[in-house]
Amino acid sequence: MIDWKVTVGGQSPPDWESRRDGCWFPDFEMQHLLLPHFDVGEQPIDEYGETIFDSGAVARLGRRLSAFRGQIESKAESWSITERSSRGEETFLVEREAVLAVIDKTLAMVEYALSRGGELVFSGD
C-alpha cells in the first residue's frame, strides 16, 4: 500500500506526526481507484518505492483532487466497480465518504506543504 507525508527540506516538520497527519490508501481497491488521480508528478508514483512531489507537483495534485472531489460528491453513497481482465471479473464496492476522506486529508496536506515550502513523499511497500 502507498502512504504519503509532508517533508520540508527532506525532513519531517517539527509539528508533523505521521500517524495523525499522514495519509494512506485504506485498501488496494481504493489505491487502484484513486492512484491515477494522484499521478501528476514528473514520474508515476512508485507503488514499491519512494516518489517525491516538489511544490509544482503538489500544487497540481491540489488542483486535480479539488476538481475530482466535486465529481465524487455528486455520486451515490456507494457504488460498485467491475473490472474485467484476463484473470476474470472483480467487483468491489466504493464508499463515497471513504473516498472523500482520503481526498480531504490529502488536500489538507497539500495546503500544509505549500504553506511551508515542502513536498509530499509517497512511499510504497
Side-chain angles (χ1 to χ4, degrees):
M1 298 284 242
I2 298 172
D3 63 80
W4 49 104
K5 63 182 178 181
V6 173
T7 61
V8 177
Q11 302 293 317
S12 291
D15 61 341
W16 182 267
E17 202 280 282
S18 288
R19 296 215 81 31
R20 178 192 67 217
D21 302 317
C23 195
W24 49 87
F25 295 117
D27 54 42
F28 285 111
E29 289 82 11
M30 182 83 69
Q31 181 172 305
H32 183 71
L33 173 71
L34 293 181
L35 192 57
H37 299 281
F38 278 68
D39 269 330
V40 298
E42 297 297 317
Q43 59 188 16
I45 294 172
D46 184 347
E47 294 183 46
Y48 303 101
E50 187 175 271
T51 307
I52 299 173
F53 277 17
D54 63 12
S55 60
V58 171
R60 279 192 304 278
L61 179 61
R63 289 189 300 272
R64 167 82 65 88
L65 290 182
S66 291
F68 184 55
R69 189 183 196 293
Q71 295 172 20
I72 296 300
E73 280 181 316
S74 67
K75 290 192 170 282
E77 280 186 37
S78 63
W79 66 95
S80 63
I81 296 176
T82 301
E83 295 195 344
R84 292 170 182 84
S85 71
S86 59
R87 294 175 286 168
E89 280 188 6
E90 184 178 358
T91 300
F92 57 95
L93 185 67
V94 179
E95 298 288 335
R96 181 183 64 216
E97 292 307 313
V99 174
L100 290 174
V102 171
I103 291 171
D104 289 344
K105 181 69 168 195
T106 305
L107 288 173
M109 293 170 71
V110 164
E111 185 177 315
Y112 182 95
L114 291 175
S115 72
R116 287 165 176 76
E119 52 276 327
L120 288 181
V121 178
F122 295 84
S123 301
D125 56 12

